[in-house]
Amino acid sequence: MSSRSTDRAQRARGPSPPLQPSTYKELLRLSTTTRSLVLGKLVHSHMIRASYRPGLFMHNVLVNMYCRCGDPTTARQVFDRMPVRDAATSNILAAGYSRVGYCGRALDVFREARSAGVGLDRFSYAGALSASGDCGDVRMGRMVHGMVVVTGLSRRAFLTNSLMDMYSKCGMIDEVRLVFDHAEELDEVSWNSLLSAYVSVGWPEVAVNILVWMHRSGVKLNSFALGSILKACSGMRDSDDVRRMMHGCVTKVGLDLDLFVGSAMLDMYAKNGGLEEAIKIFEYIPNPSVVVFNAMIAGFSRLGTKSSGKDRFKALSLFREMLRRQMKPSKFTFKSVLEACKSVRAFRCGRQIHAHVIINNLQDDEFIGSALISLYSTSNLTMESLSCFQMTPKQEIFTWTSMISAFTQNEQYEMALSLFKELLGLRRKLDQVIISSVITACSRMGMLRIGEQIHGYATKLGHDKFTVCCNSLIDMYTKTGDVGASIRMFQDIGSLDVFSWSAMISSYALHGNAGDALVLFEKMKECGAVPDHVTFLAVLTACSHGGLVDEGFRYYESMSREYDIVPNSRHCACIVDLLGRTGRIVDAEGFILSSGFANDPILWHVLLRACLFYGDTERSIRVGESLMVMEPFFATSYMLLYNMYLDVGKVSLAMRTRGLMRERGVNKETGVSWIEIGASFHSFVTSSSYHHHIDFIYEKLQEMMLHIKQKMGKAGPRILELEYQSEKWRESLMNSHGELLAVAFGMSNLPESVLIRVMKNQRVCGDCHKTLKLFSEVERREILVRDSVRFHHFSWGSCSCGDYW
């Protein structure tokens, strides 16, 4: 017989007879226990088809089944059709709503029950207090508190604990303590609630005192209490004695082998650098869970670069052990182990773990996505970072922060600003970290106007009060040439840190105010701030630009003698620059050979600049040849040597140098100069004359050249010796003097009172430097050029760099 015939036969026989109530009850309880919504609906469907009319008890069982199986909507439908309800019915539905996060609807059920005159019990009030705490609705919580007092139920410990929990969730620790102190009845849960309340608000010292009080009051210490206090100790810095005391307490009460307490104790040590103790605890925990492995992996991943590579690789070994034991890693496991890969720069291993993330279907988790973005950005793989970013739902702001920071760290500033613009369109609440990242992007690109707009936006959000944002703003105004704005930002910072002092000292140093930089450094020491390697780099830069040899060596020697800071190659480069500026080229070369950084090209580039400035041709060629060996794929070394050979008439050697460039596939970096006019940027690229106002720019340059010849009566630099109407003159400008085109365009489009700011990705040559000095003197304009080495502030025929470019 076909299935269709069977259905017709069943319909002909009528509905199935109802089962016994006890059978329905057991089936519904089975579906509730197993969370099988399908089974529960089948049982409910059978009740309807059998015309079974459930009573109040069976209705409550049905509502509970739907709530426990995560279907509060159907539970509400059953609730609405019930002819009779009691307090248990409302309690079950309210608990179901709270369980899935609908705390507002849970409170509505409580209000409806109260309005309907249903006799509420202690569970009703406890549920309403829990929902109020979850919603953060203090007003409703206080109302329920009043009802509890009026009904006389507040005398019992059960509702005292609920009241403490509600106020704790709302962050009102004073009210928690008030309820505890006035309670007529307390139990272990009351003490644990008070303890966890102080832990949650971040008062670990008070939590430790509560634990001592519990012990003296004869309250038995259980795993929950000890787990909470161990969690609090994890956040206490410089409290090794307290941690050891807690360890002894755990051992004394016999809970050192408890999985929950052991995990908390292990995490406490791991978060505070006590990895030896954490390892011992890990070895004694029987059958460690994923949580225990996570704590250990996170502990090793936090070591960063402060420990040996062997120790930092243990996080990866633990992850491998988890896989060997066939344990399923959680999202916290993957986040920690990816951070460990980043710290040890194990990018191949990171890719393999990324594959495990995909296998476990966690690629859309925002925490893991953020860790992957950071991992790939560290290895300059921004496209892989972008792919990970696009796979996440992008609901959390930290995911956007990671991606914008990745673009900024890898010098893709336009992409960072574009993504920030997209984020603004979503109207999300931004934090100070993301604001700091985009300000840094503006700083690197020299975008003063856009940086000022972001500064205004940060002020509107209130982020200008955060030191991290203020530090970025100081750096941005420094890099765009507005020292006055940097000073104002520095003066407005409420809480100065070492980065604030370093940024302001660097601002003075880069703009030629060596005296102000050193005065500020001394003031920093008077205020008790401890300088770091960045601070000393700024101080040495100030000494270098100011030609302060004795002061420079004194500060250089004080780094290791007074502050135990080992100088790096950049500190040594400042000393070489200092000696080179004062003409002590032989001493500068000797310092390089004895510094321990003789193989670092940056020091030899600084020496080469000094040799070129003072005309030491023989040494210049020797240093240039060495640089070509040190940096076989760096075009600047080849071009410098090529020009030096031509200057001394060694044409064959110059041609050989160009031939080596072609053989090794070394291409000269494209020179770009740009200027910001209003809300737009205008770029001038080497070997390209494309610009929609190029003819007008050449006319302006010709006019300026004519002014120089008329007022000064001399030709000046080589670029001016060429006849400015000739094609050769235009070709010379187009090939190497894009900053002159940018300055001419700025003079034509900016008011006379406005400083002309030009950025260049290469070093300003000596010929162009002289020309810009003449422009500032004849045109009576202030010009600021930021090249790849330093700032040049031209004013009335002088330059802040003192002609040592």
Side-chain angles (χ1 to χ4, degrees):
M1 185 183 291
S2 67
S3 60
R4 188 173 300 176
S5 300
T6 304
D7 291 341
R8 281 199 297 267
Q10 287 178 350
R11 285 197 295 269
R13 287 195 299 266
S16 302
L19 303 175
Q20 291 294 323
S22 59
T23 306
Y24 283 130
K25 182 182 71 171
E26 291 302 321
L27 287 172
L28 288 173
R29 283 183 175 174
L30 176 63
S31 63
T32 303
T33 304
T34 59
R35 301 292 190 272
S36 175
L37 183 60
V38 174
L39 174 59
K41 285 188 173 183
L42 284 173
V43 175
H44 190 189
S45 175
H46 192 278
M47 291 167 67
I48 294 171
R49 293 185 64 183
S51 301
Y52 174 74
R53 296 182 179 276
L56 176 61
F57 175 79
M58 193 61 70
H59 267 126
N60 287 347
V61 173
L62 269 171
V63 173
N64 183 56
M65 181 274 295
Y66 281 117
C67 288
R68 290 284 180 176
C69 293
D71 189 2
T73 304
T74 308
R76 179 72 200 208
Q77 292 172 359
V78 175
F79 177 87
D80 290 337
R81 294 192 184 101
M82 289 176 63
V84 180
R85 305 183 194 117
D86 61 1
T89 316
S90 300
N91 295 345
I92 292 169
L93 183 60
Y97 277 131
S98 295
R99 197 172 292 112
V100 295
Y102 296 161
C103 51
R105 295 184 184 179
L107 291 174
D108 290 339
V109 173
F110 174 78
R111 294 188 188 98
E112 290 171 10
R114 188 163 172 267
S115 300
V118 175
L120 303 179
D121 57 14
R122 58 177 182 158
F123 298 104
S124 307
Y125 291 114
L129 288 169
S130 177
S132 299
D134 292 336
C135 292
D137 191 345
V138 182
R139 185 170 176 272
M140 184 62 184
R142 288 186 185 277
M143 290 173 61
V144 179
H145 187 177
M147 297 175 199
V148 170
V149 173
V150 169
T151 56
L153 294 172
S154 60
R155 299 186 183 92
R156 309 300 295 176
F158 179 77
L159 282 176
T160 296
N161 300 337
S162 297
L163 285 166
M164 292 172 64
D165 180 64
M166 183 273 293
Y167 284 122
S168 175
K169 288 177 180 177
C170 295
M172 304 178 73
I173 191 65
D174 292 335
E175 281 73 7
V176 174
R177 187 58 184 267
L178 198 64
V179 171
F180 181 86
D181 291 340
H182 288 81
E184 297 182 19
E185 181 183 288
L186 295 172
D187 57 11
E188 289 183 11
V189 178
S190 310
W191 287 93
N192 291 334
S193 298
L194 181 65
L195 187 67
S196 61
Y198 278 107
V199 172
S200 64
V201 297
W203 289 4
E205 296 84 1
V206 181
V208 172
N209 293 332
I210 297 293
L211 186 75
V212 174
W213 187 16
M214 287 176 65
H215 179 65
R216 289 176 178 173
S217 300
V219 181
K220 184 180 178 181
L221 302 180
N222 57 21
S223 61
F224 181 84
L226 290 170
S228 296
I229 198 64
L230 289 169
K231 179 182 176 183
C233 291
S234 300
M236 295 175 67
R237 302 297 177 189
D238 303 323
S239 299
D240 292 337
D241 293 339
V242 176
R243 283 188 279 273
R244 291 192 183 96
M245 180 191 74
M246 290 307 309
H247 192 167
C249 182
V250 168
T251 305
K252 187 174 181 180
V253 298
L255 289 173
D256 51 323
L257 296 181
D258 181 87
L259 191 60
F260 176 71
V261 176
S263 301
M265 193 159 52
L266 186 151
D267 187 59
M268 174 189 70
Y269 280 120
K271 282 184 177 177
N272 292 276
L275 282 175
E276 292 183 7
E277 293 86 348
I279 291 171
K280 291 177 182 177
I281 296 170
F282 178 78
E283 291 173 348
Y284 278 101
I285 294 178
N287 300 318
S289 64
V290 173
V291 176
V292 176
F293 271 97
N294 288 349
M296 283 301 300
I297 292 172
F300 283 113
S301 66
R302 288 190 198 98
L303 287 173
T305 57
K306 296 180 181 179
S307 185
S308 65
K310 183 180 179 181
D311 287 339
R312 287 182 274 130
F313 269 107
K314 287 182 180 177
L316 305 182
S317 300
L318 284 168
F319 179 73
R320 183 177 60 191
E321 177 65 16
M322 284 184 68
L323 297 180
R324 189 186 69 78
R325 296 190 183 194
Q326 296 183 347
M327 301 173 72
K328 186 177 181 180
S330 68
K331 63 179 182 180
F332 301 105
T333 314
F334 285 117
K335 181 179 182 295
S336 297
V337 77
L338 286 169
E339 288 173 351
C341 290
K342 176 186 172 183
S343 67
V344 298
R345 305 187 73 81
F347 301 120
R348 263 186 87 184
C349 184
R351 284 185 179 275
Q352 294 174 2
I353 293 169
H354 189 181
H356 280 282
V357 169
I358 296 172
I359 291 171
N360 286 271
N361 198 29
L362 290 171
Q363 64 270 21
D364 59 346
D365 181 84
E366 301 230 22
F367 283 100
I368 297 175
S370 181
L372 284 167
I373 290 168
S374 182
L375 172 70
Y376 285 124
S377 68
T378 305
S379 55
N380 301 322
L381 300 171
T382 50
M383 289 301 102
E384 282 80 353
S385 294
L386 186 59
S387 297
C388 295
F389 174 75
Q390 291 170 343
M391 292 180 71
T392 63
K394 300 183 280 294
Q395 296 296 321
E396 300 292 342
I397 194 65
F398 60 76
T399 311
W400 294 83
T401 303
S402 298
M403 193 64 243
I404 291 174
S405 298
F407 281 133
T408 303
Q409 291 166 9
N410 289 282
E411 300 182 359
Q412 297 185 16
Y413 307 119
E414 297 93 339
M415 295 289 287
L417 291 171
S418 176
L419 194 61
F420 178 70
K421 184 180 179 181
E422 181 183 344
L423 178 59
L424 288 178
L426 299 176
R427 300 186 179 277
R428 297 280 182 82
K429 184 179 180 181
L430 308 184
D431 58 16
Q432 64 269 24
V433 179
I434 201 166
I435 294 291
S436 178
S437 294
V438 293
I439 290 172
T440 300
C442 294
S443 169
R444 299 296 181 268
M445 293 190 69
M447 295 178 168
L448 177 62
R449 299 289 172 256
I450 294 178
E452 288 175 335
Q453 292 175 7
I454 296 174
H455 182 184
Y457 186 66
T459 303
K460 182 179 178 181
L461 295 175
H463 293 331
D464 60 324
K465 305 300 180 186
F466 290 99
T467 304
V468 63
C469 277
C470 293
N471 293 344
S472 298
L473 285 166
I474 292 173
D475 180 68
M476 187 270 292
Y477 284 120
T478 297
K479 294 294 196 306
T480 53
D482 195 342
V483 184
S486 297
I487 296 171
R488 290 191 294 273
M489 283 303 311
F490 179 78
Q491 292 172 343
D492 289 341
I493 297 179
S495 177
L496 294 169
D497 59 12
V498 64
F499 300 104
S500 311
W501 292 99
S502 302
M504 195 63 237
I505 293 170
S506 178
S507 180
Y508 281 130
L510 292 173
H511 289 276
N513 301 325
D516 292 334
L518 299 184
V519 168
L520 189 62
F521 178 65
E522 295 300 327
K523 185 177 179 181
M524 173 187 177
K525 293 193 292 184
E526 291 174 5
C527 293
V530 180
D532 60 5
H533 66 283
V534 178
T535 314
F536 275 105
L537 181 62
V539 170
L540 293 175
T541 301
C543 294
S544 171
H545 288 190
L548 307 174
V549 180
D550 294 336
E551 290 85 348
F553 273 97
R554 179 163 56 85
Y555 287 123
Y556 178 79
E557 291 169 359
S558 71
M559 288 177 63
S560 54
R561 186 180 64 250
E562 298 179 19
Y563 299 98
D564 198 27
I565 298 174
V566 179
N568 58 32
S569 61
R570 298 183 69 187
H571 297 114
C572 295
C574 289
I575 298 298
V576 175
D577 189 58
L578 178 59
L579 293 170
R581 279 174 177 270
T582 54
R584 296 167 58 177
I585 298 177
V586 177
D587 293 339
E589 186 174 9
F591 178 82
I592 293 174
L593 296 173
S594 62
S595 66
F597 297 100
N599 294 324
D600 196 319
I602 186 173
L603 276 71
W604 295 103
H605 275 290
V606 175
L607 179 64
L608 179 59
R609 189 162 63 245
C611 294
L612 292 172
F613 182 78
Y614 285 101
D616 191 339
T617 306
E618 182 180 345
R619 198 183 308 271
S620 298
I621 292 176
R622 178 161 51 82
V623 172
E625 289 173 345
S626 300
L627 280 171
M628 195 170 65
V629 175
M630 291 182 193
E631 302 175 307
F633 300 103
F634 189 55
T636 302
S637 301
Y638 291 90
M639 295 308 301
L640 285 171
L641 190 61
Y642 170 78
N643 290 326
M644 285 187 288
Y645 280 142
L646 288 181
D647 289 340
V648 296
K650 298 181 178 180
V651 179
S652 60
L653 291 176
M655 294 301 104
R656 189 196 68 177
T657 304
R658 292 301 293 265
L660 284 174
M661 285 185 69
R662 286 191 294 270
E663 287 176 13
R664 296 173 181 176
V666 180
N667 296 317
K668 183 181 177 182
E669 182 186 12
T670 302
V672 182
S673 301
W674 66 94
I675 185 171
E676 186 179 11
I677 306 290
S680 59
F681 284 82
H682 298 266
S683 301
F684 299 89
V685 183
T686 298
S687 303
S688 175
S689 60
Y690 173 76
H691 192 277
H692 52 285
H693 293 303
I694 191 64
D695 293 330
F696 174 75
I697 294 170
Y698 282 131
E699 289 178 9
K700 180 62 180 177
L701 272 174
Q702 292 173 6
E703 179 186 332
M704 291 161 62
M705 301 287 188
L706 187 60
H707 287 173
I708 290 174
K709 289 189 175 183
Q710 289 175 348
K711 294 185 179 182
M712 307 197 67
K714 58 182 178 181
R718 187 184 308 170
I719 188 66
L720 300 182
E721 294 175 2
L722 299 172
E723 190 59 36
Y724 49 77
Q725 291 92 348
S726 66
E727 287 299 323
K728 191 174 183 182
W729 176 75
R730 289 196 174 202
E731 183 181 348
S732 177
L733 284 173
M734 189 172 60
N735 286 338
S736 57
H737 300 294
E739 59 268 46
L740 293 184
L741 299 176
V743 167
F745 187 68
M747 286 189 175
S748 302
N749 291 274
L750 293 174
E752 293 184 4
S753 59
V754 175
L755 174 69
I756 297 172
R757 291 182 175 86
V758 174
M759 309 294 155
K760 186 175 183 178
N761 66 334
Q762 295 178 344
R763 191 167 66 91
V764 173
C765 68
D767 195 40
C768 190
H769 187 272
K770 295 175 184 176
T771 306
L772 290 170
K773 278 181 61 178
L774 293 174
F775 282 173
S776 70
E777 182 178 359
V778 174
E779 299 294 328
R780 319 300 284 177
R781 297 291 295 268
E782 285 191 87
I783 304 169
L784 179 76
V785 178
R786 190 189 87 186
D787 65 8
S788 59
V789 178
R790 59 171 50 87
F791 286 89
H792 307 273
H793 195 158
F794 302 96
S795 178
W796 309 97
S798 64
C799 180
S800 60
C801 67
D803 291 340
Y804 186 85
W805 66 95

